[in-house]
PDB file of all heavy atoms in Angstrom:
ATOM      1  N   GLY A  41      99.532 101.501 115.304  1.00 89.00           N
ATOM      2  CA  GLY A  41      99.748 100.119 115.687  1.00 89.00           C
ATOM      3  C   GLY A  41     100.473  99.985 117.003  1.00 89.00           C
ATOM      4  O   GLY A  41     101.125  99.087 117.268  1.00 89.00           O
ATOM      5  N   HIS A 102     109.362  96.542 119.698  1.00 97.00           N
ATOM      6  CA  HIS A 102     108.142  96.079 118.725  1.00 97.00           C
ATOM      7  C   HIS A 102     108.299  94.636 118.588  1.00 97.00           C
ATOM      8  O   HIS A 102     107.417  93.819 118.526  1.00 97.00           O
ATOM      9  CB  HIS A 102     108.089  96.936 117.531  1.00 97.00           C
ATOM     10  CG  HIS A 102     106.871  96.759 116.852  1.00 97.00           C
ATOM     11  ND1 HIS A 102     106.331  97.814 116.068  1.00 97.00           N
ATOM     12  CD2 HIS A 102     105.931  95.791 116.760  1.00 97.00           C
ATOM     13  CE1 HIS A 102     105.243  97.355 115.509  1.00 97.00           C
ATOM     14  NE2 HIS A 102     104.891  96.198 115.975  1.00 97.00           N
ATOM     15  N   HIS A 106     105.997  91.072 119.332  1.00 96.00           N
ATOM     16  CA  HIS A 106     105.715  89.978 118.520  1.00 96.00           C
ATOM     17  C   HIS A 106     106.087  88.576 119.110  1.00 96.00           C
ATOM     18  O   HIS A 106     105.395  87.697 118.887  1.00 96.00           O
ATOM     19  CB  HIS A 106     106.177  90.158 117.035  1.00 96.00           C
ATOM     20  CG  HIS A 106     105.529  91.317 116.309  1.00 96.00           C
ATOM     21  ND1 HIS A 106     105.052  90.998 115.087  1.00 96.00           N
ATOM     22  CD2 HIS A 106     105.319  92.534 116.649  1.00 96.00           C
ATOM     23  CE1 HIS A 106     104.525  92.148 114.624  1.00 96.00           C
ATOM     24  NE2 HIS A 106     104.668  93.061 115.535  1.00 96.00           N
ATOM     25  N   MET A 125     103.567 100.836 123.087  1.00 97.00           N
ATOM     26  CA  MET A 125     104.981 100.768 123.442  1.00 97.00           C
ATOM     27  C   MET A 125     105.669 102.170 123.690  1.00 97.00           C
ATOM     28  O   MET A 125     105.138 103.056 123.023  1.00 97.00           O
ATOM     29  CB  MET A 125     105.726  99.823 122.487  1.00 97.00           C
ATOM     30  CG  MET A 125     106.082 100.428 121.122  1.00 97.00           C
ATOM     31  SD  MET A 125     106.645  99.384 119.990  1.00 97.00           S
ATOM     32  CE  MET A 125     105.090  98.627 119.364  1.00 97.00           C
ATOM     33  N   GLN A 203     101.934  88.410 111.338  1.00 89.00           N
ATOM     34  CA  GLN A 203     100.877  89.400 111.568  1.00 89.00           C
ATOM     35  C   GLN A 203     100.897  90.446 110.413  1.00 89.00           C
ATOM     36  O   GLN A 203     101.942  90.569 109.801  1.00 89.00           O
ATOM     37  CB  GLN A 203     101.168  90.219 112.775  1.00 89.00           C
ATOM     38  CG  GLN A 203     101.248  89.295 114.122  1.00 89.00           C
ATOM     39  CD  GLN A 203     101.262  90.113 115.407  1.00 89.00           C
ATOM     40  OE1 GLN A 203     100.854  91.245 115.321  1.00 89.00           O
ATOM     41  NE2 GLN A 203     101.772  89.574 116.379  1.00 89.00           N
ATOM     42  N   ALA A 204      99.783  90.988 110.216  1.00 89.00           N
ATOM     43  CA  ALA A 204      99.561  92.205 109.355  1.00 89.00           C
ATOM     44  C   ALA A 204     100.129  93.326 110.105  1.00 89.00           C
ATOM     45  O   ALA A 204      99.497  93.569 111.290  1.00 89.00           O
ATOM     46  CB  ALA A 204      98.191  92.254 108.916  1.00 89.00           C
ATOM     47  N   ASP A 205     101.102  94.106 109.730  1.00 90.00           N
ATOM     48  CA  ASP A 205     101.720  95.034 110.567  1.00 90.00           C
ATOM     49  C   ASP A 205     102.372  96.111 109.774  1.00 90.00           C
ATOM     50  O   ASP A 205     102.986  95.780 108.747  1.00 90.00           O
ATOM     51  CB  ASP A 205     102.655  94.293 111.415  1.00 90.00           C
ATOM     52  CG  ASP A 205     103.099  95.005 112.615  1.00 90.00           C
ATOM     53  OD1 ASP A 205     103.750  96.221 112.388  1.00 90.00           O
ATOM     54  OD2 ASP A 205     102.978  94.610 113.611  1.00 90.00           O
ATOM     55  N   GLY A 206     102.232  97.416 110.083  1.00 91.00           N
ATOM     56  CA  GLY A 206     102.867  98.466 109.354  1.00 91.00           C
ATOM     57  C   GLY A 206     104.154  99.022 110.042  1.00 91.00           C
ATOM     58  O   GLY A 206     104.681 100.028 109.573  1.00 91.00           O
ATOM     59  N   GLY A 207     104.565  98.371 111.163  1.00 95.00           N
ATOM     60  CA  GLY A 207     105.625  99.002 111.948  1.00 95.00           C
ATOM     61  C   GLY A 207     107.037  98.496 111.547  1.00 95.00           C
ATOM     62  O   GLY A 207     107.200  97.838 110.458  1.00 95.00           O
ATOM     63  N   HIS A 209     110.633  96.649 112.615  1.00 97.00           N
ATOM     64  CA  HIS A 209     111.160  95.576 113.391  1.00 97.00           C
ATOM     65  C   HIS A 209     112.580  95.282 113.155  1.00 97.00           C
ATOM     66  O   HIS A 209     113.038  95.711 111.949  1.00 97.00           O
ATOM     67  CB  HIS A 209     110.273  94.284 113.162  1.00 97.00           C
ATOM     68  CG  HIS A 209     108.821  94.436 113.186  1.00 97.00           C
ATOM     69  ND1 HIS A 209     108.019  95.103 112.270  1.00 97.00           N
ATOM     70  CD2 HIS A 209     107.988  94.131 114.236  1.00 97.00           C
ATOM     71  CE1 HIS A 209     106.815  95.210 112.718  1.00 97.00           C
ATOM     72  NE2 HIS A 209     106.655  94.575 113.932  1.00 97.00           N
TER      73      HIS A 209
HETATM   74 ZN1   ZN B 301     103.705  94.909 115.366  1.00 71.81          ZN
END
Side-chain angles (χ1 to χ4, degrees):
H102 198 151
H106 283 233
M125 76 194 83
Q203 297 190 27
D205 195 301
H209 307 75

